[in-house]
Amino acid sequence: MSGQPAEEDHELVERVRQGNLDAFNTLVLAYQERIYNLCLRMLGSPPAAEDATQEAFIAAYKNVSKLRGANVRSWLFRIASNLCIDELRRRQRRPLVSLDAPTPDEDAQPMDVPDAEPGPEAWALRGELHEALQAELMRLPHDQRLAVTLCDMEGLQYEEIAEAMGSSVGTVKSRISRGRARLRTRIREQPELFGHLLRPIEEGG
Amino acid sequence: MLFWRGRHEVREADLSAYVDGELNASALQRVEAHLEDCAACRESVTELRAVRHSVKELPRAPVPRSFVLREADVAAAPTRAGGGLFGSVTPLLSGVAVIALVAFVVLAGFDITSDTSNRDAGITVGDFSTSDLDVESASEAPADAAVPQTSEREGYNAGDEGLPGELSPDDGEAVPPQLEGIRDENTDPGTDPQSAVASGDDDETGLRIAEALAGGIAVVAGGAALFIWWRRRQAGAI
């Protein structure tokens, strides 16, 4: 993921812009993991993320003519971000299924995300922590969740996040800051769950 | 939190951007200088780093399947470069809007014209006398006034929706029953002049209705086309 250039090969992009499906699928293979994980963190469930990812690539293919320059990454993230926000707004308009749903997004399911940790105890603890953190992410307002995810999970810079969200860098900065402030507060409130999460992290972490 | 401690030269958003390495040179210098003196902000930076790290460390899921597109997945051909912003629906809506707008302008023009010619013909109820001569000459004018309205109605109906229940869009020769009645009445010496005037009013009412319909269709179709274009811009995302 980190080794991926922001700009794709120009020749490839030109073929994509001409509507060449094979060329487009090269991009799909290069970016599907990132787009899927973005949708997963935004929508909170693997089935929803799968649908959104498929929709995003279809929408991207149908709108190849709108691809400007060779920054495919921004373009794809923008399409996926808009789709996720639209889906979240659609969910909000539907009546609540359960009154005691813990999160604003009642469709969020526990995520069966495989973990690389070997020991069973460590694995269980780690899984609980990750699920708790994901639950807190799902509590964030959509725009803050998106900004934090694009920054922290996908490693985008503010400029690119601004492009993906269709807003200014200042707005992105503010959304990330407010999102983190909320997460920080919630983590502090639940030490039994998050333990020493807020303890010193060495620089560069 | 920092904001409420009176004048504090560094805001939480600045610390968050500092953690992300997104501050410009002068802001970076300012924040670093501040951090040397402010334990609370140093604590904040530590916690912000931890939050960022923990989100970053959330496990990445492998894709459940390949999202490579097949021809069947893509219902329509992609928009070619320079193919424009519109999909298949908006040209139709735009076309309808334009036709309706043109119809509205034409109808409004005739409306104004017919108002003028009616005034010239001097048709008022008081003009009609019991003499045959007067009846005949007065009855000529409504017929003349009716003729352009008829052809204009025919023109209107050539390609568009006709007035409900009265006119067929396909029949360019169609004459509405009202006008037919007027013609018959006007050529008949025994015509009641007042009914000719009343029919003239009906004409105008019909014209107004047609204008309103054309204007309404133009607004609705044009508005819908604009809305769809705007939504496509948003969703198409670029």
Side-chain angles (χ1 to χ4, degrees):
Chain A
M1 173 184 82
S2 54
Q4 213 162 42
E7 292 209 351
E8 294 291 325
D9 173 63
H10 283 259
E11 205 189 294
L12 175 68
V13 169
E14 197 42 50
R15 279 163 55 213
V16 167
R17 231 187 252 124
Q18 296 301 321
N20 184 316
L21 189 57
D22 286 335
F24 183 80
N25 280 329
T26 307
L27 295 180
V28 173
L29 289 170
Y31 287 100
Q32 61 180 1
E33 191 267 357
R34 298 187 71 175
I35 299 297
Y36 176 70
N37 274 278
L38 171 68
C39 295
L40 194 53
R41 294 300 157 192
M42 284 301 293
L43 302 178
S45 89
E50 198 177 323
D51 288 344
T53 305
Q54 173 81 348
E55 240 184 278
F57 282 121
I58 290 174
Y61 182 68
K62 287 188 173 177
N63 288 281
V64 278
S65 63
K66 295 194 180 72
L67 171 56
R68 300 276 172 260
N71 196 333
V72 174
R73 187 168 76 183
S74 289
W75 177 64
L76 287 175
F77 272 126
R78 179 156 187 180
I79 294 172
S81 298
N82 283 343
L83 272 171
C84 288
I85 296 287
D86 283 350
E87 171 60 21
L88 289 168
R89 283 181 185 152
R90 254 197 301 275
R91 285 185 190 172
Q92 275 189 329
R93 285 195 290 269
R94 293 205 306 256
L96 280 176
V97 173
S98 158
L99 285 176
D100 50 13
T103 63
D105 290 310
E106 73 277 8
D107 291 312
Q109 301 160 21
M111 291 203 307
D112 186 22
V113 177
D115 201 307
E117 263 333 284
E121 209 176 69
W123 184 89
L125 188 66
R126 183 65 70 88
E128 200 181 295
L129 184 75
H130 289 153
E131 280 196 15
L133 189 58
Q134 175 62 30
E136 292 310 325
L137 264 179
M138 293 302 285
R139 283 194 164 89
L140 292 181
H142 306 156
D143 56 353
Q144 291 177 22
R145 189 187 318 163
L146 181 58
V148 167
T149 305
L150 287 172
C151 183
D152 296 346
M153 278 209 80
E154 298 302 329
L156 298 190
Q157 303 207 311
Y158 284 12
E159 192 79 42
E160 231 179 331
I161 298 171
E163 247 186 82
M165 295 184 72
S167 55
S168 68
V169 167
T171 302
V172 166
K173 177 179 169 184
S174 166
R175 285 171 180 169
I176 290 173
S177 173
R178 284 186 281 146
R180 283 187 183 143
R182 281 196 195 215
L183 288 174
R184 193 174 148 199
T185 303
R186 293 290 297 160
I187 290 169
R188 267 208 217 113
E189 286 170 0
Q190 304 168 82
E192 72 289 349
L193 193 56
F194 291 105
H196 307 297
L197 199 67
L198 294 181
R199 286 306 93 220
I201 299 289
E202 52 274 26
E203 254 199 69
Chain B
M1 180 181 79
L2 295 170
F3 177 81
W4 297 110
R5 285 192 194 169
R7 203 170 66 84
H8 195 115
E9 53 270 44
V10 167
R11 296 169 300 135
E12 180 126 353
D14 290 330
L15 297 180
S16 177
Y18 169 72
V19 160
D20 291 329
E22 291 274 355
L23 291 177
N24 62 30
S26 65
L28 180 64
Q29 201 174 33
R30 184 168 49 85
V31 167
E32 281 180 338
H34 177 80
L35 286 175
E36 281 178 17
D37 299 328
C38 181
C41 285
R42 284 199 299 272
E43 172 80 9
S44 291
V45 165
T46 300
E47 293 191 337
L48 286 171
R49 283 209 171 102
V51 170
R52 189 172 84 117
H53 179 81
S54 54
V55 174
K56 193 175 171 197
E57 290 298 298
L58 282 170
R60 297 188 73 85
V63 285
R65 62 171 176 87
S66 166
F67 290 97
V68 157
L69 297 182
R70 299 158 301 164
E71 292 287 350
D73 294 325
V74 192
T79 316
R80 293 283 180 266
L85 296 161
F86 298 105
S88 51
V89 177
T90 29
L92 181 66
L93 281 173
S94 309
V96 168
V98 166
I99 290 169
L101 194 62
V102 167
F104 175 77
V105 168
V106 166
L107 288 172
F110 274 114
D111 192 2
I112 294 165
T113 314
S114 73
D115 276 349
T116 313
S117 68
N118 279 347
R119 281 197 297 277
D120 290 345
I123 296 176
T124 61
V125 173
D127 278 346
F128 291 101
S129 69
T130 50
S131 93
D132 285 352
L133 192 62
D134 285 334
V135 167
E136 286 211 24
S137 64
S139 65
E140 288 301 315
D144 288 335
V147 169
Q149 289 174 13
T150 309
S151 59
E152 157 221 307
R153 274 182 193 272
E154 287 172 7
Y156 170 62
N157 289 317
D160 298 320
E161 300 168 28
L163 296 175
E166 277 186 66
L167 306 162
S168 156
D170 295 329
D171 187 357
E173 301 301 319
V175 176
Q178 296 163 297
L179 288 180
E180 246 175 38
I182 288 170
R183 278 224 180 102
D184 290 343
E185 284 173 324
N186 288 338
T187 54
D188 184 350
T191 303
D192 176 0
Q194 289 205 1
S195 74
V197 173
S199 302
D201 282 344
D202 284 345
D203 255 358
E204 277 201 17
T205 309
L207 184 62
R208 295 269 154 77
I209 291 171
E211 274 178 41
L213 263 177
I217 291 167
V219 167
V220 168
L226 266 173
F227 178 74
I228 290 175
W229 172 81
W230 174 72
R231 285 289 287 172
R232 278 172 173 275
R233 262 200 76 175
Q234 275 201 329
I238 337 297

